[in-house]
Amino acid sequence: MVTYPTVCCIVLSALLTLLTRKSQSIKNTPVSQPQPWPKRFFPSLSHVLDFPFGDVIVLGELIEHDEILFVMYYAPWCAKSMEVRWEFEKAAKLMYEKVRFVAVNCWWSQGQCRKNNNFFSYPALYAYHTQLNGYHYNGLPVAEHMVSFVEQLMYPITPLRTSKDVLNMLATSNNVVVSFFDFNASPQPPGFLQYYYAALRVITIDHIQAIPFGIITDTSLATTFDMQTSGTVILARIQNESLTYPADYNFTASEIRKWVLTNKEKVSAKWQMPSGTKSLSLSVQLKGPTVVMFITRNPLVQLNQEFTALWELALDYFNCDNSTKVSRNIQRSVYLRWHAIEAQVEETRWCKEMRNTNKVKDSGKKCCLSVVIDDRQSQSKMHNVCDVCMISRITQRYHPCRLATQSSLSLQNMHHKPITNMCQHTVVNYNANEHITLCCSQISKNVSNFSPSKRKPTDLFTVQAGQNYKKWKCNKQTFNKLQGYSSHIRDRTRHAYKFSSFTGLGCRTNRTVSFLAMDSKYHSVFAERLGLKQLVISEPSIVLIDEKNDAFHVLKGKVDRNNLVLFIQNYTTGALQRTLLSSSPLEFSHTQESMTYVAEVTTATFQKIVMDPKKDILLLYYAPWCGFCAGFAHIYITLARYFRDVKNLAFTRINGDENDLPWEFTVTKYPTLIFFPAGRKADSVTFPDHLAKTLPNLIRFILRLGTRALKLQAALGKCSAKCISQNQKKAVQAIHSINTAINHLKQRIPRVKQHILHVQVLFNSLSRKEASVSDEGTNEQELLAGQVALLQMYMFTLKNRLWRKEIQLRNAKFVLKMLTGSSGRHLARHKLNTILTQYQTAQFRMGHRMHMSSTRDVEDKLEQKVSTSLGRDEL
């Protein structure tokens, strides 16, 4: 029979077994939700090839087929990545036929990109070339700058076919690299690839103002510029002699790049494009006086008119020896600017014509491809050349050219002979909106010396090449308009200005300036900080920054060469006035109930408000970013409300971060309080730093420095109707008491004066006695002389006391007048006579700027001495 303890043990064992199994199942249950699969960052029909799973191996496969890849490494959660995404898409849409744009999710934890890379920030833009291991693009992440950079990588070398091309290129930059390679002697001349790679590497160092590389392939043209052998490389410098790449140097891309960067001369005017991250690039450029031009920089135009004009002026400014070489380059640069304007006008004209023509034609998109039929096994002496065009009757936002000739038409494996000199149409995939047009013709297999230059103007390939070039130009023009760039033309001058006094000025003064240009579209914050609040993006602005003297000067009026030359000359001679930064005035606080008002002071209104000789001014210096200023604001408002009844006391504030003042009124920290007393603005007093800016301390500070009227008005403002009535009685009593004292003094002074005359008569009569004077007479004479001196001192004391009583009477009457005119609408807990007693003596001493030598104790002692000597009844 089973006992009770045995049953309990069995039950406990079963429960423990169940709990163990349950805990094990809970332990194996995941406690966190798995990471969701990444989604596409770009739209499905985008021109950007998106890899949301972070595949990077495919990039190596793509670079084998595409010469250039422009890759964006992004994080899906990053707001900056989301912002740059649409700029990247716009650039890809413009250049999808030329360069492949790729996006890789580098945040997916299971992706190869996240495992192999550790980017500091997102997005990270990289350009990959067949000969570049990946260059980090650190320019502005906007579409037009991306397109400009990619275009430079596509065409790093400019072909120079005529001497005019060479001279024009030499007049576009301080440094130009020109080479000669003879392609007639070899399809790929030795050293050409290294020269090509060197040009690419120089672009990656500075793509904003890259040193241009040119190539001459004509032997006769090379001989004209003293380039005899193939592989010659010359560094042409405008203000210095040109250099030839040494023959004993290794002809490698790295050595050529190093030689160019080492021997280049300093550019006369430089583009400064801060990337938006913490950098010292701008502070390095502003070490000395610098002329900064804020203009719109469109990187897709041939040349920037305003910047080129600034560069020409800088060349003239640094033309120390009045070199004719520099002058000729300036003249040619002016001509190139004029030619670029004419080309822009012409481009606008035929783009308008093309748009009007396209409206008449089929609105569908078309892409064409030329195909030569592979018929090498055929015995025929003719080639079949076919032009395949795909036409779409619908317009889509993303419409890549999906022409696949081998799969759709099988042109390479045609078993029947194509119809020549005729066109046939084929519907693609039974799509009624798309069809392919096939036009074939025959040419002889024995045709030799065939070159594109010998094609007829009506040849399909020649016409299509010209149309594609114009189409690309018009697409860029449309793209510029969409990006907010205007094609406004300001100056069509074909001749360079000549200022003999300005040429070489930079070498004749110790106030030499440098020249910078900044993009006003993307760096307007710098212009706003320098006071160009009303900066118009389409118009240039000039600021001269003098970092040593902590000052800047703004060019007023139209920005042209004449005004800019005069502007720089005035700075050189010291005649240029410093520009003071001033903001627009804003009201700080204005409530209808208390009528508290704190005026906002700017540079323009400082003299009118603060330096008003009739008012006491308390000025608060603050800055928007100052946290202590924000905490002190309510105390300052309370202080203004406390003194709201004082008519000649104004509370003001000034934004020291946006308003420049003369040096004597500049402060070094915020918040700072300065009191400017009425009539004595030069005696301004700063609130002590060791005192806390509390309300009692601020009230004492104002009362200690304010005028007598200020103190009385402040006291009356805190007095109730009962207080005013009581103090009116006290004022009347004080006036009666003072009048009584004045009448008493006026009666006493004549008696003392009469007594002095009487004593003087006795003294004179005693001194006129001609009889023998005894010792007794001498003592009496001395006693009379002492009485005269004592009486005269007493007489001066009485007059001084009368003068003070008259001042007290005038003050008492003024107080009574103030009390009679007060409305008594404010409550207070302090009596008026206490305030007057505290400040009356201080005001008296301050008003008359003297210290009374005879105090009341001295006067009492003197009066007691006179009474003892002469008798009070007698006086």
Side-chain angles (χ1 to χ4, degrees):
M1 185 174 180
V2 180
T3 60
Y4 178 77
T6 305
V7 174
C8 291
C9 291
I10 294 172
V11 173
L12 288 175
S13 300
L15 289 175
L16 288 174
T17 303
L18 291 174
L19 288 175
T20 304
R21 292 180 178 179
K22 188 66 175 176
S23 63
Q24 187 69 23
S25 62
I26 294 174
K27 184 177 180 181
N28 295 332
T29 303
V31 295
S32 62
Q33 185 178 0
Q35 184 178 2
W37 293 100
K39 300 179 181 179
R40 288 183 58 89
F41 197 60
F42 287 83
S44 58
L45 296 177
S46 171
H47 293 90
V48 178
L49 188 60
D50 192 1
F51 295 98
F53 291 93
D55 301 326
V56 292
I57 297 179
V58 71
L59 295 180
E61 300 175 358
L62 291 174
I63 201 64
E64 295 179 359
H65 303 283
D66 297 273
E67 184 181 10
I68 298 176
L69 290 180
F70 198 49
V71 183
M72 171 181 170
Y73 297 99
Y74 65 88
W77 53 265
C78 175
K80 188 65 176 178
S81 298
M82 298 178 188
E83 179 183 353
V84 176
R85 166 175 54 183
W86 305 117
E87 296 295 327
F88 197 73
E89 169 62 28
K90 286 188 286 185
K93 184 178 180 181
L94 179 66
M95 302 193 70
Y96 74 95
E97 294 180 347
K98 300 176 180 293
V99 177
R100 188 182 295 274
F101 283 68
V102 182
V104 180
N105 182 358
C106 215
W107 187 257
W108 173 245
S109 59
Q110 303 177 20
Q112 299 170 352
C113 183
R114 179 69 179 274
K115 295 177 181 178
N116 300 336
N117 300 283
N118 186 18
F119 293 110
F120 180 73
S121 62
Y122 293 98
L125 300 173
Y126 278 81
Y128 294 92
H129 194 277
T130 52
Q131 296 300 325
L132 288 178
N133 295 326
Y135 167 71
H136 182 210
Y137 171 75
N138 55 4
L140 294 177
V142 291
E144 62 270 25
H145 286 266
M146 297 180 192
V147 172
S148 175
F149 171 68
V150 173
E151 273 193 315
Q152 292 183 64
L153 295 181
M154 292 171 57
Y155 311 109
I157 300 177
T158 304
L160 305 174
R161 299 181 177 88
T162 63
S163 59
K164 184 178 179 180
D165 293 342
V166 178
L167 295 176
N168 289 345
M169 188 175 188
L170 295 178
T172 57
S173 177
N174 284 80
N175 306 279
V176 176
V177 182
V178 181
S179 65
F180 165 57
F181 290 95
D182 188 2
F183 282 83
N184 293 326
S186 173
Q188 183 173 316
F192 170 72
L193 286 179
Q194 297 298 323
Y195 181 74
Y196 180 85
Y197 301 150
L200 285 173
R201 295 178 185 274
V202 171
I203 290 173
T204 57
I205 293 175
D206 183 10
H207 65 273
I208 298 174
Q209 202 170 356
I211 299 175
F213 277 65
I215 182 172
I216 299 175
T217 58
D218 188 358
T219 305
S220 59
L221 179 61
T223 306
T224 304
F225 291 94
D226 197 19
M227 304 173 73
Q228 304 296 336
T229 59
S230 178
T232 304
V233 178
I234 294 178
L235 174 61
R237 303 178 296 181
I238 287 184
Q239 296 178 333
N240 296 278
E241 295 182 354
S242 300
L243 300 177
T244 303
Y245 189 77
D248 55 344
Y249 280 25
N250 293 329
F251 204 88
T252 60
S254 58
E255 288 295 326
I256 296 174
R257 177 189 64 85
K258 181 180 178 181
W259 175 76
V260 170
L261 298 179
T262 302
N263 295 283
K264 69 175 183 177
E265 70 180 20
K266 182 181 179 181
V267 293
S268 301
K270 181 178 178 59
W271 275 108
Q272 192 65 33
M273 304 286 289
S275 60
T277 58
K278 290 184 178 181
S279 172
L280 298 177
S281 59
L282 186 59
S283 61
V284 172
Q285 298 295 332
L286 299 179
K287 286 299 182 182
T290 307
V291 175
V292 182
M293 173 181 279
F294 289 94
I295 52 177
T296 303
R297 179 181 183 266
N298 185 356
L300 299 181
V301 298
Q302 184 177 0
L303 60 95
N304 189 289
Q305 297 289 329
E306 291 82 6
F307 176 75
T308 306
L310 179 68
W311 178 73
E312 295 164 2
L313 184 137
L315 279 179
D316 194 20
Y317 180 77
F318 292 112
N319 188 11
C320 302
D321 54 355
N322 199 9
S323 171
T324 55
K325 173 185 174 182
V326 175
S327 301
R328 284 197 306 267
N329 280 294
I330 293 175
Q331 181 62 52
R332 184 167 290 275
S333 178
V334 174
Y335 165 75
L336 292 177
R337 283 198 293 119
W338 172 83
H339 182 72
I341 293 173
E342 296 299 320
Q344 181 181 351
V345 173
E346 181 65 17
E347 179 181 313
T348 304
R349 182 188 62 78
W350 47 253
C351 283
K352 185 177 180 181
E353 293 178 355
M354 287 185 63
R355 283 191 290 267
N356 294 334
T357 304
N358 292 335
K359 290 179 181 178
V360 178
K361 293 183 178 181
D362 186 11
S363 61
K365 294 189 176 182
K366 179 177 69 175
C367 63
C368 296
L369 183 66
S370 179
V371 179
V372 180
I373 305 301
D374 188 7
D375 54 358
R376 289 174 291 182
Q377 299 179 358
S378 174
Q379 301 298 326
S380 174
K381 297 182 179 181
M382 304 297 289
H383 269 310
N384 286 321
V385 179
C386 298
D387 297 318
V388 186
C389 291
M390 183 180 71
I391 301 175
S392 175
R393 290 188 176 87
I394 61 174
T395 302
Q396 299 177 359
R397 183 178 180 184
Y398 304 100
H399 184 81
C401 183
R402 299 184 297 271
L403 185 58
T405 57
Q406 296 185 10
S407 59
S408 59
L409 295 177
S410 300
L411 293 177
Q412 304 292 341
N413 301 309
M414 294 181 69
H415 299 289
H416 63 278
K417 184 178 179 179
I419 302 175
T420 59
N421 301 323
M422 292 185 65
C423 294
Q424 54 183 339
H425 299 274
T426 304
V427 177
V428 181
N429 298 329
Y430 302 98
N431 188 350
N433 293 320
E434 292 182 353
H435 69 274
I436 287 182
T437 300
L438 177 65
C439 300
C440 297
S441 61
Q442 290 184 338
I443 62 172
S444 174
K445 291 183 179 180
N446 298 324
V447 174
S448 59
N449 298 328
F450 182 79
S451 64
S453 62
K454 295 182 180 180
R455 291 186 181 274
K456 295 180 180 180
T458 57
D459 187 275
L460 177 63
F461 300 99
T462 305
V463 173
Q464 187 172 354
Q467 289 178 350
N468 289 339
Y469 172 77
K470 290 185 176 181
K471 180 182 177 182
W472 171 247
K473 286 291 186 180
C474 293
N475 288 342
K476 287 176 62 175
Q477 190 179 90
T478 305
F479 181 79
N480 287 332
K481 291 182 179 179
L482 293 176
Q483 292 297 105
Y485 294 101
S486 62
S487 57
H488 181 61
I489 300 173
R490 301 181 184 84
D491 188 9
R492 294 198 180 192
T493 305
R494 296 190 59 178
H495 303 285
Y497 299 95
K498 188 66 178 177
F499 300 92
S500 57
S501 60
F502 186 76
T503 302
L505 180 61
C507 308
R508 302 195 303 267
T509 178
N510 58 357
R511 305 189 75 183
T512 304
V513 301
S514 55
F515 296 85
L516 285 181
M518 298 187 71
D519 192 348
S520 57
K521 181 178 181 180
Y522 295 106
H523 301 105
S524 59
V525 62
F526 296 97
E528 293 176 0
R529 183 61 187 88
L530 295 172
L532 299 175
K533 291 286 188 181
Q534 305 299 328
L535 178 66
V536 180
I537 293 180
S538 60
E539 298 293 334
S541 302
I542 295 290
V543 180
L544 195 155
I545 302 176
D546 190 352
E547 192 242 0
K548 181 180 179 181
N549 296 319
D550 195 16
F552 67 93
H553 313 270
V554 178
L555 175 61
K556 305 295 180 61
K558 182 181 178 180
V559 177
D560 55 19
R561 187 179 177 91
N562 292 331
N563 290 337
L564 186 53
V565 167
L566 183 62
F567 180 72
I568 296 175
Q569 287 177 337
N570 288 338
Y571 172 77
T572 304
T573 58
L576 199 61
Q577 295 295 327
R578 174 193 176 207
T579 302
L580 298 178
L581 186 66
S582 180
S583 62
S584 56
L586 298 173
E587 293 185 356
F588 180 59
S589 175
H590 188 197
T591 58
Q592 296 179 352
E593 180 181 358
S594 60
M595 297 302 291
T596 300
Y597 183 75
V598 177
E600 184 78 16
V601 178
T602 63
T603 303
T605 60
F606 181 81
Q607 290 292 333
K608 179 181 178 181
I609 297 178
V610 178
M611 306 309 289
D612 186 356
K614 298 180 180 179
K615 287 187 176 182
D616 294 313
I617 304 295
L618 185 63
L619 181 62
L620 168 65
Y621 292 82
Y622 76 99
W625 46 263
C626 173
F628 296 102
C629 301
F632 177 69
H634 73 283
I635 298 178
Y636 196 62
I637 296 175
T638 305
L639 182 67
R641 294 185 62 183
Y642 187 87
F643 288 97
R644 59 182 175 269
D645 291 322
V646 180
K647 298 179 180 179
N648 293 327
L649 174 63
F651 291 83
T652 60
R653 74 167 191 170
I654 185 170
N655 185 348
D657 205 34
E658 297 182 0
N659 293 273
D660 290 333
L661 296 176
W663 304 119
E664 60 269 22
F665 300 115
T666 303
V667 298
T668 57
K669 55 186 176 181
Y670 305 112
T672 297
L673 283 167
I674 299 182
F675 185 83
F676 294 86
R680 299 179 290 112
K681 300 298 181 180
D683 298 332
S684 59
V685 181
T686 304
F687 187 83
D689 294 335
H690 65 277
L691 290 179
K693 292 181 176 62
T694 60
L695 189 61
N697 289 341
L698 293 171
I699 293 175
R700 295 190 190 98
F701 177 72
I702 294 175
L703 293 177
R704 179 170 60 86
L705 301 174
T707 60
R708 178 169 60 93
L710 183 151
K711 297 164 186 175
L712 291 176
Q713 290 176 5
L716 291 176
K718 301 303 173 187
C719 195
S720 62
K722 183 178 179 181
C723 170
I724 291 175
S725 176
Q726 292 177 355
N727 283 285
Q728 282 178 343
K729 295 179 181 179
K730 292 183 179 181
V732 172
Q733 295 175 0
I735 291 173
H736 178 72
S737 175
I738 294 173
N739 280 325
T740 302
I742 290 175
N743 293 331
H744 180 70
L745 289 173
K746 287 182 178 180
Q747 294 174 2
R748 178 177 293 185
I749 289 174
R751 291 200 300 269
V752 173
K753 185 177 182 180
Q754 184 178 4
H755 192 75
I756 291 173
L757 294 175
H758 176 69
V759 173
Q760 286 179 346
V761 170
L762 293 176
F763 177 79
N764 293 333
S765 64
L766 185 62
S767 61
R768 282 196 301 267
K769 289 182 179 180
E770 295 182 356
S772 59
V773 181
S774 61
D775 294 338
E776 224 174 277
T778 302
N779 293 335
E780 186 178 356
Q781 189 175 4
E782 291 177 355
L783 180 61
L784 291 175
Q787 288 181 359
V788 170
L790 183 63
L791 288 172
Q792 288 178 347
M793 184 181 299
Y794 184 60
M795 183 70 176
F796 174 78
T797 301
L798 292 177
K799 289 182 178 181
N800 193 11
R801 187 179 296 176
L802 177 63
W803 174 62
R804 290 205 309 272
K805 289 295 182 181
E806 289 176 347
I807 292 177
Q808 292 176 2
L809 179 63
R810 189 161 57 247
N811 291 342
K813 290 181 178 179
F814 177 77
V815 171
L816 182 61
K817 182 179 179 181
M818 295 283 292
L819 291 169
T820 305
S822 176
S823 60
R825 63 181 182 276
H826 302 294
L827 299 176
R829 297 179 177 84
H830 302 286
K831 294 182 179 180
L832 179 63
N833 59 340
T834 305
I835 299 176
L836 294 179
T837 303
Q838 290 178 356
Y839 294 101
Q840 183 173 343
T841 305
Q843 180 64 34
F844 171 78
R845 293 177 180 176
M846 187 182 303
H848 298 279
R849 297 176 179 267
M850 60 180 295
H851 179 71
M852 301 301 298
S853 59
S854 57
T855 61
R856 185 59 184 259
D857 295 337
V858 174
E859 292 177 359
D860 292 342
K861 291 180 180 180
L862 179 62
E863 187 173 1
Q864 183 179 3
K865 187 176 181 180
V866 172
S867 301
T868 305
S869 171
L870 302 176
R872 179 172 296 275
D873 296 337
E874 186 177 356
L875 288 176

